[in-house]
Amino acid sequence: MPASSFISIQDVSKHFGSIVAVDDIDVEINRGEFFALLGPSGCGKTTLLRMLAGFEIPTRGEIFIDGEQMSGVAPYRRPVNMVFQNYAIFPHLNVFQNIAFGLRKDRLAGDELKTRVNNALSLIKMKEFGERKPEELSGGQRQRVALARALVKNPKVLLLDEPLGALDKSLREQMQLELRQLQKIVGVTFVFVTHDQEEALTMSDRIAVMSAGKVLEVGSPDDLYERPQTRFVAEFLGTMNVFDGSVHARDGDSYIVDTRDLGRIRAGVGAQEFSDGEKISVALRPENLKIVNSQTSEDIDGSVSGVMSNTAYFGNSAQVYVTLDGSEQALVVSIQNQDGAASNVAHGSRDITIGWSRSSVLLLKDA
Amino acid sequence: MSGPPGKFNIGWLRGYTVVYLIFIYLPILLLPIFSFNDGIYVAFPMSGFTFQWWAEMVSQPGMHKALWNSIAVAVPVSLISTILGMMGAKALTSYPLYGARALTGMFTLPLVTPFLILGIALLITFKNYGINLSLFTVGVGHVLICVPFSLFVLLSRLESFDRSLEEAALDLGETPWIVFWRVTFPINMPGIVASLLLTFTISFDEFLLAFFLTGDASTLPIFIWSQLRFPVKLPSVLALGSAILVVTVFIVVVAELLRRKGSTRSTGKVI
Ligand SMILES: Nc1ncnc2c1ncn2[C@@H]1O[C@H](COP(=O)(O)OP(=O)(O)O)[C@@H](O)[C@H]1O
Ligand SMILES: [Mg+2]
């Protein structure tokens, strides 16, 4: 089946002996997209990326890149380039030679080669570093050289395997921005592997969330964060309060759901349909929960009471941990720290009531 | 009451080490010393200093031929064994080969087989197939014993070699053959040179196989052995032996330094 999208991954599986590393994945990636493969370690992200690069051969399924079928196409003939997890900078070559490595086949004149490499060097802001040997570079600089070495080939797709994983936190955050900007400048399709949900949320146009060799959901960061369809995605992206429940009935534009921990509650109807009696998960984001008191004016469609067990400050916000009455379940509430709100809560009564609006209650399949 | 447990042992160990080192190096040191002794007997007291034996050694008619024969065998042997060793090491480190351990064990077998047996076995084989004994048959025997050495030097290199460097080169558009020459070969150069030097010295020094497999043309060790039958030739043999000793030690030290330098540097990992 020929593909309509730029990269089309169709029913792809990869087995290593008895290990199923990638399990029947279907993903479509658009031209010029910054696309993230997100999932915990060992879920098959690298294996999928290596199949795009041609280093692993799918056990089943087909991959198309820009309309061309990739099966049987060797890595050195694919229109993709890769930034390796450890960068794989050639230790016997200097920075200039590393970046020029892939241009040998293009048989450029000496001047043109120099121009191409120097352009790449200025793209990564390392103009003065051409003569340096790899061992004289910092982790961040190696990462950029790996990036330039791949981009100078003008690939249709750039594959990046946890490229920021080896960097320390502040450098990583800076590189996240730079990488995103770079992608906008060059316009190349990026397929980016990470296990860091924050990184995926801040950088990507779309994200595929993977678990145990499968892609669970594909969507934009706000789609996946605000409207997850599965419990795994809801819990993997950010903090989430999740409870077991079952659908009692549908009542107009809301479902009535029974839960052990929250009692009978109402939830707005979202994209998914549920049948009466279906076992589901009920999810509430900490930032959508409010502490209810006499001054609370917002719409509250449901509430639960409990005892505050702990508070954690993050400066502009605070997280309040509540042990629910009648069950030992914990609930996390995030509050904005305006006019010392966090401090007031922390020093107020330990018995509190938590409320929420109907539209913020998420119902998820696979309880 | 007992003293510190380590002290006593360490004292003994030190003594043992000194005796052991003397045992190894004294006989070897006698070689160069007596090559300058003005007399044909290897016995103290020495009778005076002379260059006579070195001069005699250099002008020895058969020596040049034998030296040339040895080099003519050792150079191709070192090249061929290093190529074969490289191919084996590459295969063993590149793919998850079924039975790789057993295979590595098999490769080492020629090392533990007594050369006497190996020499006789090869001799019989060559005779059976009507192959005349010559420097060529010596070379074949030497390749057989040199490949395991080369394999081990290169295995230890390639095991610390980051394979993602080869993948990166493939990814950048080079075919496997070019990847070998642009990445694998230069990065593992120290190991390759070490293997060449090591196998060269092994072949150059080897006596037993050469003794069985050589025809009329003798290699240097065989020439030396034949000279020992004449007592007057002994001092010039000592001079020749000293010369070989110096060159061999030099080559082996260089090879070992290269091997070590190679395995700490240029693995491509972040240091
Ligand atoms: N070459 C291989 N041989 C055997 N198992 C492998 C191989 N590569 C990956 N795996 C297994 O496949 C699974 C997925 O691995 P990987 O794709 O590296 O995950 P991730 O990149 O998401 O951490 C893991 O269980 C891993 O052990
Ligand atoms: Mg990985």
Side-chain angles (χ1 to χ4, degrees):
Chain A
M1 186 186 354
S4 54
S5 52
F6 192 57
I7 302 175
S8 177
I9 300 167
Q10 302 178 353
D11 308 321
V12 166
S13 296
K14 177 67 187 179
H15 299 197
F16 293 106
S18 61
I19 299 170
V20 182
V22 166
D23 189 4
D24 199 13
I25 281 183
D26 276 286
V27 173
E28 306 288 319
I29 299 171
N30 302 318
R31 189 189 293 267
E33 204 168 29
F34 197 118
F35 192 91
L37 296 172
L38 171 67
S41 172
C43 72
K45 307 179 296 288
T46 297
T47 305
L48 185 57
L49 205 69
R50 288 172 59 82
M51 287 194 282
L52 287 171
F55 295 124
E56 305 287 357
I57 297 164
T59 311
R60 267 196 301 280
E62 295 288 353
I63 293 171
F64 292 84
I65 296 176
D66 199 11
E68 279 183 69
Q69 187 167 350
M70 286 294 121
S71 59
V73 180
Y76 48 90
R77 295 200 203 288
R78 295 197 180 202
V80 306
N81 284 111
M82 184 146 164
V83 174
F84 286 76
Q85 195 159 9
N86 65 356
Y87 312 141
I89 306 289
F90 302 121
H92 60 305
L93 303 177
N94 66 23
V95 169
F96 185 98
Q97 292 163 331
N98 260 281
I99 295 174
F101 189 93
L103 297 176
R104 184 188 70 94
K105 282 230 173 124
D106 298 355
R107 304 203 182 285
L108 303 175
D111 282 349
E112 204 189 334
L113 180 82
K114 257 193 191 143
T115 316
R116 285 267 294 269
V117 174
N118 283 330
N119 286 346
L121 277 170
S122 49
L123 190 69
I124 56 167
K125 306 194 184 81
M126 284 181 64
K127 252 189 177 150
E128 317 301 320
F129 289 79
E131 299 298 315
R132 290 275 188 106
K133 289 292 261 179
E135 67 253 34
E136 301 165 345
L137 300 179
S138 71
Q141 288 168 336
R142 287 162 161 263
Q143 199 264 335
R144 286 179 219 214
V145 172
L147 205 61
R149 187 177 67 180
L151 281 174
V152 80
K153 294 271 296 169
N154 293 327
K156 289 180 177 173
V157 183
L158 187 72
L159 307 172
L160 303 103
D161 192 358
E162 312 223 9
L164 309 179
L167 309 179
D168 61 50
K169 192 173 183 320
S170 64
L171 185 57
R172 193 161 69 225
E173 281 167 4
Q174 180 199 335
M175 284 306 298
Q176 286 174 3
L177 291 176
E178 284 190 21
L179 205 56
R180 181 71 236 229
Q181 260 173 350
L182 191 70
Q183 194 263 341
K184 288 243 166 77
I185 294 169
V186 295
V188 172
T189 309
F190 276 35
V191 180
F192 181 92
V193 161
T194 180
H195 65 265
D196 182 337
Q197 43 101 7
E198 236 175 273
E199 195 165 283
L201 288 174
T202 51
M203 295 175 77
S204 330
D205 293 316
R206 288 196 308 144
I207 302 170
V209 182
M210 294 180 62
S211 168
K214 288 191 179 295
V215 167
L216 297 181
E217 290 182 46
V218 181
S220 64
D222 66 302
D223 256 352
L224 294 179
Y225 188 83
E226 305 288 347
R227 290 172 292 281
Q229 311 283 306
T230 59
R231 180 166 183 161
F232 182 87
V233 173
E235 289 186 307
F236 196 71
L237 296 181
T239 314
M240 186 70 102
N241 298 295
V242 185
F243 304 98
D244 295 334
S246 64
V247 177
H248 175 70
R250 179 161 175 172
D251 175 22
D253 63 348
S254 60
Y255 283 108
I256 298 167
V257 177
D258 288 324
T259 68
R260 189 177 66 96
D261 304 298
L262 307 173
R264 174 167 289 186
I265 61 170
R266 272 179 181 274
V269 173
Q272 298 192 93
E273 298 277 329
F274 301 96
S275 49
D276 290 358
E278 188 174 346
K279 292 260 181 268
I280 54 165
S281 297
V282 176
L284 286 159
R285 286 276 177 217
E287 61 268 30
N288 291 334
L289 295 172
K290 298 168 188 74
I291 294 171
V292 183
N293 53 35
S294 49
Q295 290 119 49
T296 304
S297 54
E298 291 122 303
D299 290 344
I300 297 292
D301 299 312
S303 67
V304 64
S305 58
V307 179
M308 186 167 63
S309 60
N310 213 343
T311 25
Y313 285 96
F314 297 102
N316 60 349
S317 71
Q319 292 204 329
V320 180
Y321 297 85
V322 179
T323 307
L324 298 181
D325 292 343
S327 76
E328 291 308 302
Q329 276 284 339
L331 188 71
V332 186
V333 182
S334 176
I335 55 173
Q336 287 305 307
N337 195 5
Q338 278 163 355
D339 308 323
S343 182
N344 291 341
V345 169
H347 296 110
S349 165
R350 285 167 47 81
D351 292 312
I352 53 176
T353 302
I354 307 299
W356 57 84
S357 75
R358 184 170 53 171
S359 62
S360 65
V361 180
L362 297 167
L363 301 186
L364 309 170
K365 294 259 186 202
D366 72 273
Chain B
M1 200 186 101
S2 62
K7 269 259 165 73
F8 176 81
N9 287 337
I10 285 176
W12 269 99
L13 204 58
R14 200 171 282 156
Y16 168 76
T17 308
V18 170
V19 170
Y20 182 70
L21 287 176
I22 291 174
F23 177 71
I24 296 178
Y25 287 105
L26 193 63
I28 296 176
L29 278 177
L30 287 180
L31 226 66
I33 290 171
F34 277 95
S35 72
F36 294 110
N37 183 31
D38 190 6
I40 64 162
Y41 299 109
V42 179
F44 290 104
M46 308 211 306
S47 34
F49 183 86
T50 179
F51 279 119
Q52 181 195 347
W53 311 123
W54 284 80
E56 206 167 278
M57 182 267 284
V58 171
S59 61
Q60 191 101 215
M63 200 279 283
H64 296 266
K65 185 75 187 127
L67 176 65
W68 172 246
N69 283 345
S70 274
I71 291 173
V73 170
V75 167
V77 161
S78 66
L79 282 172
I80 291 168
S81 355
T82 299
I83 290 170
L84 293 177
M86 186 66 186
M87 282 158 58
K90 196 80 187 62
L92 286 170
T93 52
S94 294
Y95 316 103
L97 269 185
Y98 182 76
R101 266 165 184 273
L103 216 54
T104 314
M106 294 265 287
F107 282 129
T108 61
L109 213 56
L111 288 185
V112 291
T113 314
F115 284 8
L116 188 65
I117 308 294
L118 212 57
I120 294 169
L122 283 168
L123 184 63
I124 293 171
T125 310
F126 287 134
K127 285 285 176 205
N128 259 340
Y129 288 96
I131 299 168
N132 287 329
L133 297 183
S134 64
L135 290 181
F136 172 76
T137 49
V138 175
V140 171
H142 283 182
V143 166
L144 193 73
I145 57 169
C146 283
V147 168
F149 285 100
S150 168
L151 183 73
F152 279 106
V153 169
L154 293 171
L155 261 184
S156 79
R157 264 302 298 191
L158 289 182
E159 268 160 8
S160 64
F161 171 65
D162 181 3
R163 294 250 307 129
S164 68
L165 294 173
E166 289 177 335
E167 289 187 341
L170 283 174
D171 186 68
L172 291 167
E174 297 294 11
T175 58
W177 176 244
I178 303 290
V179 168
F180 178 82
W181 289 110
R182 288 191 76 191
V183 175
T184 320
F185 183 76
I187 293 177
N188 294 296
M189 194 55 156
I192 291 164
V193 173
S195 163
L196 285 172
L197 295 178
L198 187 66
T199 50
F200 179 88
T201 54
I202 290 169
S203 167
F204 192 80
D205 287 350
E206 205 283 330
F207 175 76
L208 253 179
L209 287 181
F211 182 71
F212 278 104
L213 300 176
T214 192
D216 318 328
S218 58
T219 61
L220 201 56
I222 292 181
F223 171 77
I224 292 174
W225 177 79
S226 65
Q227 295 295 292
L228 287 177
R229 278 175 293 178
F230 314 108
V232 288
K233 295 284 180 67
L234 183 62
S236 72
V237 166
L238 291 182
L240 183 54
S242 308
I244 294 174
L245 183 69
V246 170
V247 173
T248 306
V249 166
F250 176 75
I251 290 178
V252 169
V253 167
V254 169
E256 182 59 17
L257 287 180
L258 278 173
R259 197 183 66 76
R260 286 197 205 165
K261 174 184 171 229
S263 55
T264 50
R265 219 187 119 254
S266 73
T267 50
K269 302 223 170 78
V270 184
I271 311 153

Short mmCIF file of all heavy atoms in Angstrom, two decimals, chain A residues 26 123 175 359:
data_model
loop_
_atom_site.label_atom_id
_atom_site.label_comp_id
_atom_site.label_asym_id
_atom_site.label_seq_id
_atom_site.Cartn_x
_atom_site.Cartn_y
_atom_site.Cartn_z
N ASP A 26 1.90 1.25 13.67
CA ASP A 26 1.45 2.05 12.54
C ASP A 26 1.61 3.51 12.91
O ASP A 26 0.98 3.97 13.86
CB ASP A 26 -0.04 1.80 12.26
CG ASP A 26 -0.23 0.57 11.40
OD1 ASP A 26 0.07 0.66 10.20
OD2 ASP A 26 -0.66 -0.46 11.95
N LEU A 123 26.12 27.21 11.51
CA LEU A 123 24.77 26.83 11.93
C LEU A 123 24.77 26.36 13.38
O LEU A 123 23.84 26.63 14.14
CB LEU A 123 24.25 25.71 11.02
CG LEU A 123 22.78 25.33 11.13
CD1 LEU A 123 21.90 26.45 10.60
CD2 LEU A 123 22.50 24.05 10.36
N MET A 175 19.75 23.38 24.98
CA MET A 175 19.82 22.66 23.70
C MET A 175 18.44 22.32 23.16
O MET A 175 18.25 22.24 21.96
CB MET A 175 20.65 21.38 23.87
CG MET A 175 22.14 21.59 23.94
SD MET A 175 22.84 22.52 22.55
CE MET A 175 22.43 21.44 21.17
N SER A 359 -16.08 19.25 33.44
CA SER A 359 -15.33 19.13 32.19
C SER A 359 -13.88 18.70 32.41
O SER A 359 -13.21 18.27 31.47
CB SER A 359 -15.35 20.46 31.45
OG SER A 359 -14.72 21.45 32.26
#
